Amino acid sequence: MTSLVYINGEHGLVKSAFEAVTYAKKLGGDVIVVSSGKSADLGKLGEYGATKVLVDSSLEKIDAQQVTRLVAAAAEQVGAEVIVFSHDLVAKAVAPRLSVRLKAGLVSGATSLPDTANGFSVKVNVFSGKAFGSVSVKTAKKIISLLPNSIQPELNGSACPVEEFAGHAGEASIKILEVKIPEGNIPLPEAELVVSAGRGLKGPENWGMVEDLAKALGAATACSRPVADIGWRPHHEHVGQTGVAIRPNLYIAAGISGAIQHLAGVNGSKVIVVINTDAEAPFFKAADYGVLGDAFEVLPKLTEAVKKFKASH
Amino acid sequence: MHNKNHKIILKSHGENSFLLLSLCLLLENVHKMKILVCISKSPDTTSKIAFTDGNTKFDENGVQYIVNPYDEWYALVRALEIKETSGGTVTIITVGTAADEAIIRKALAIGADDAVRIDAEPTDAYFTAGQIAKYAKDNSFDLILTGKETINYNGSQVGGMIAEDLDLPFVSLAVKMDVDGSTLKMEQEIVGGIQVVEANLPLVVSCAKGMAEQRIPNMRGIMAARTKPLTVIAATPEEAFTAYESYVLPEAKKACKMIDPNNMDELVELLHSEAKVI
Ligand SMILES: Cc1cc2nc3c(=O)[nH]c(=O)nc-3n(C[C@H](O)[C@H](O)[C@H](O)COP(=O)(O)OP(=O)(O)OC[C@H]3O[C@@H](n4cnc5c(N)ncnc54)[C@H](O)[C@@H]3O)c2cc1C
């Protein structure tokens, strides 16, 4: 069996790329990577199990239709049975297109390897993280878009050859005018540690405490929906059922009540710490560790404790 | 801005206003769009999530259905805003059974002009997108909008599939959309930041938070919705590629361990040695 992994190499290799290659390796058989652009050190993907990388380096600022044509051409060339994406913005545009083009069933947001005992079924989050579903794919070719942080990248081999590949991707119909990625930002969906705060923080001027803790831990910051709605924090930090769904190793929530819609987006977190003044806050029921106290006092103390710990480890 | 200008001119020129308005629209490169907004039902966000038939079916008992928030708050409202500034029409479409007419009326009450229901159980995204693409092909729209994802199946698949079926560009997860004639300038959420893109109509776009603000339908809208046209169309036979076989609920958390707020060293130690996350 051969699987094909699409890696967006335009902004360098990120952890989710290693996760996708590791996932494909665990499917068994050969793992071929297809990519575009010039920037990334694509041979490194061999260390996670890729046999070979096909790259069309002439393509830059590539749009979803071009990626679709590129991946379809590569899939045909290598005879791929399974195509793996990391479930990011590009995959959300390309994987559905490719599904129609190749008549291949698509599993979006997969969190497990396929169960092939009886057909081919993959576990996904449904109801915004309130449950898991098992999706069976009925087509011969299959596409899996893997949710970030669902699998640990595993080293498995050494750097692999990178070959030039003519993707015949055609012209772009979507023009990328600008890419704004704030310096030093840890992207929320990929973050392993997240510090989040809600209306209990009383105002945007108090977010220094949240940022200090995040910085001490090397964590990303997040917030509850009302906090983003009133403009205390940017929309992309809003987590929950109608915001970003995340599954970090550690989620620290200060001054968030734990409404059902908030929990939906974060209860895939491995460990949850809740800081709240109200012993009845529903979030404590979903927490592993609870601190009944004032975030204004607890957050600075926790930051100090983290700094002390980091200094001695 | 543009609106204000129109009003001033209209006031001072009386009967020539129609001509002038047309001229203004022409000069300012206003394109009257025919917009199709895809809506889906989803269980109310407070619904108890449970399963029946040996965990193979979602338990609809007592579940209230709503218009999927991304479709309603962002896709539909942005479409209405565009219509309000440049004219045109907003049609909503859903693939669903007669039971879904309540959510269709809700979307009409918010302000859509008319609605289409393709009469079928939406078995999977491929089937659903195929039905919508077929209708769109027969009725040529300038802009097709979907929500970012549904809050029940979270697939983010339908928009891209429609676009591929129609061979149109697809902009996923747009958080901002400005119209300049037949060109749209959009911002998309990318991992860790924002990307600014431009594309020409016709186009498919999926809409995320930031695009527009939720609107509450008023009494007039609700009354008007009752008589707005709703066309029911038979589905085209099409196979599904995928199926949900079974569901499980997450395991219940064990009891929360309470930590003394004055002993954060203990919390850090537990996160390190017990939870092993730092
Ligand atoms: C359709 C729909 C979708 C929604 N989607 C989302 C979503 O995606 N994400 C989301 O987050 N919400 C969502 N919501 C909103 C959700 O229902 C809650 O209203 C929201 O999560 C509450 O935010 P909060 O916890 O910050 O504020 P509140 O509920 O006001 O809670 C503030 C908390 O802070 C505590 N507190 C106060 N002062 C302090 C202090 N000094 N120290 C420590 N704790 C303190 C309080 O005890 C309280 O528990 C949605 C709602 C609907 C209807």
Side-chain angles (χ1 to χ4, degrees):
Chain A
M1 196 195 75
T2 301
S3 21
L4 181 69
V5 184
Y6 169 72
I7 301 290
N8 180 356
E10 278 189 45
H11 309 299
L13 291 178
V14 289
K15 190 176 122 224
S16 56
F18 306 133
E19 292 173 357
V21 173
T22 302
Y23 184 93
K25 183 70 193 169
K26 284 180 185 281
L27 292 174
D30 274 351
V31 178
I32 314 285
V33 170
V34 58
S35 185
S36 60
K38 294 191 177 69
S39 57
D41 175 16
L42 294 165
K44 193 174 163 59
L45 295 168
E47 295 170 15
Y48 296 87
T51 326
K52 177 166 79 176
V53 177
L54 303 174
V55 61
D56 190 334
S57 59
S58 69
L59 292 170
E60 243 151 343
K61 294 204 166 175
I62 177 168
D63 79 2
Q65 272 172 302
Q66 293 174 297
V67 179
T68 305
R69 293 183 200 113
L70 170 71
V71 178
E76 189 179 355
Q77 165 148 339
V78 306
E81 283 163 55
V82 182
I83 303 171
V84 179
F85 290 87
S86 175
H87 198 46
D88 59 11
L89 180 89
V90 176
K92 284 178 186 174
V94 174
R97 299 199 79 112
L98 201 62
S99 170
V100 170
R101 179 168 286 235
L102 300 181
K103 300 266 175 276
L106 165 61
V107 182
S108 300
T111 60
S112 77
L113 283 159
D115 177 354
T116 51
N118 191 355
F120 187 100
S121 60
V122 184
K123 219 169 143 184
V124 297
N125 278 347
V126 287
F127 298 96
S128 306
K130 290 175 189 170
F132 303 103
S134 173
V135 186
S136 65
V137 185
K138 310 196 175 304
T139 48
K141 284 182 205 146
K142 288 137 183 118
I143 305 174
I144 297 175
S145 191
L146 178 68
L147 205 66
N149 285 348
S150 295
I151 187 172
Q152 270 311 99
E154 274 175 31
L155 287 171
N156 195 330
S158 53
C160 69
V162 179
E163 286 173 18
E164 197 54 47
F165 174 72
H168 303 293
E171 293 296 310
S173 50
I174 297 170
K175 202 156 92 194
I176 300 176
L177 303 177
E178 198 185 342
V179 177
K180 303 186 237 183
I181 298 181
E183 215 38 65
N185 234 15
I186 300 174
L188 199 46
E190 291 214 339
E192 290 186 351
L193 310 173
V194 174
V195 180
S196 184
R199 222 149 40 175
L201 269 268
K202 313 267 188 305
E205 66 280 6
N206 300 322
W207 244 263
M209 291 184 290
V210 180
E211 280 164 356
D212 287 347
L213 176 58
K215 204 163 156 217
L217 280 167
T221 50
C223 67
S224 68
R225 175 172 158 217
V227 162
D229 280 353
I230 35 186
W232 293 359
R233 300 297 293 173
H235 285 315
H236 64 80
E237 284 198 0
H238 158 195
V239 292
Q241 187 160 13
T242 53
V244 188
I246 54 172
R247 37 188 306 147
N249 287 337
L250 173 63
Y251 183 72
I252 301 180
I256 301 178
S257 56
I260 187 167
Q261 298 94 350
H262 184 85
L263 295 180
V266 303
N267 62 8
S269 309
K270 199 169 144 213
V271 173
I272 294 179
V273 175
V274 167
I275 303 166
N276 201 302
T277 43
D278 177 7
E280 300 299 314
F283 220 150
F284 283 121
K285 291 206 178 66
D288 298 280
Y289 301 101
V291 182
L292 183 60
D294 187 343
F296 289 76
E297 288 163 24
V298 174
L299 284 173
K301 280 185 190 151
L302 181 52
T303 306
E304 281 320 303
V306 168
K307 282 186 182 156
K308 210 163 84 189
F309 169 82
K310 294 260 168 170
S312 64
H313 281 79
Chain B
M1 277 269 287
H2 291 174
N3 267 343
K4 258 186 213 146
N5 288 342
H6 289 160
K7 273 193 201 122
I8 294 165
I9 298 170
L10 293 180
K11 242 189 221 152
S12 52
H13 289 79
E15 67 270 31
N16 286 331
S17 60
F18 176 73
L19 254 174
L20 269 164
L21 178 64
S22 321
L23 193 68
C24 289
L25 291 175
L26 252 168
L27 286 176
E28 287 175 4
N29 194 17
V30 173
H31 184 99
K32 274 195 189 175
M33 279 192 239
K34 227 179 123 182
I35 307 177
L36 183 66
V37 179
C38 308
I39 65 168
S40 165
K41 68 171 178 191
S42 65
D44 179 86
T45 53
T46 55
S47 306
K48 183 170 179 288
I49 304 300
F51 304 98
T52 58
D53 292 15
N55 283 330
T56 59
K57 273 208 188 82
F58 175 56
D59 183 358
E60 293 191 300
N61 202 353
V63 168
Q64 181 86 24
Y65 279 99
I66 57 171
V67 184
N68 180 49
Y70 290 106
D71 309 345
E72 178 192 322
W73 302 350
Y74 309 126
L76 176 58
V77 176
R78 189 70 191 110
L80 295 172
E81 288 171 354
I82 292 172
K83 181 191 148 180
E84 282 153 12
T85 43
S86 343
T89 56
V90 176
T91 300
I92 53 162
I93 186 166
T94 193
V95 179
T97 60
D100 299 343
E101 296 201 355
I103 65 135
I104 296 177
R105 292 291 169 202
K106 166 96 190 280
L108 289 171
I110 295 171
D113 297 302
D114 60 340
V116 175
R117 178 170 70 80
I118 310 225
D119 190 24
E121 196 61 59
T123 43
D124 81 338
Y126 177 76
F127 173 85
T128 305
Q131 304 299 324
I132 296 173
K134 166 95 177 44
Y135 176 81
K137 208 176 278 172
D138 296 342
N139 292 276
S140 60
F141 290 88
D142 299 295
L143 181 61
I144 301 176
L145 300 180
T146 72
K148 161 186 148 180
E149 62 188 32
T150 58
I151 60 168
N152 40 355
Y153 292 106
N154 311 101
S156 246
Q157 299 187 4
V158 169
M161 288 178 171
I162 295 172
E164 184 67 19
D165 262 329
L166 299 174
D167 198 23
L168 292 179
F170 171 56
V171 174
S172 51
L173 277 64
V175 295
K176 193 164 186 282
M177 178 162 76
D178 291 323
V179 183
D180 180 10
S182 59
T183 304
L184 299 192
K185 192 171 164 186
M186 285 153 289
E187 291 189 4
Q188 285 176 289
E189 270 175 16
I190 54 171
V191 176
I194 292 283
Q195 171 165 292
V196 187
V197 300
E198 194 178 83
N200 292 327
L201 300 174
L203 190 66
V204 183
V205 181
S206 80
C207 305
K209 187 173 189 183
M211 182 69 105
E213 297 283 340
Q214 180 182 8
R215 285 188 186 179
I216 311 292
N218 57 24
M219 208 50 208
R220 231 180 74 212
I222 295 168
M223 296 304 287
R226 292 191 188 158
T227 52
K228 284 182 179 173
L230 162 57
T231 314
V232 179
I233 297 177
T236 325
E238 183 85 75
E239 265 174 68
F241 284 173
T242 58
Y244 279 90
E245 301 295 345
S246 63
Y247 301 90
V248 282
L249 292 168
E251 279 171 36
K253 280 260 178 191
K254 49 184 180 356
C256 171
K257 202 180 255 185
M258 296 307 288
I259 315 287
D260 178 354
N262 291 310
N263 194 353
M264 286 301 100
D265 289 330
E266 185 194 350
L267 177 58
V268 171
E269 185 48 39
L270 286 170
L271 291 176
H272 174 65
S273 56
E274 187 178 81
K276 300 190 169 47
V277 289
I278 61 174

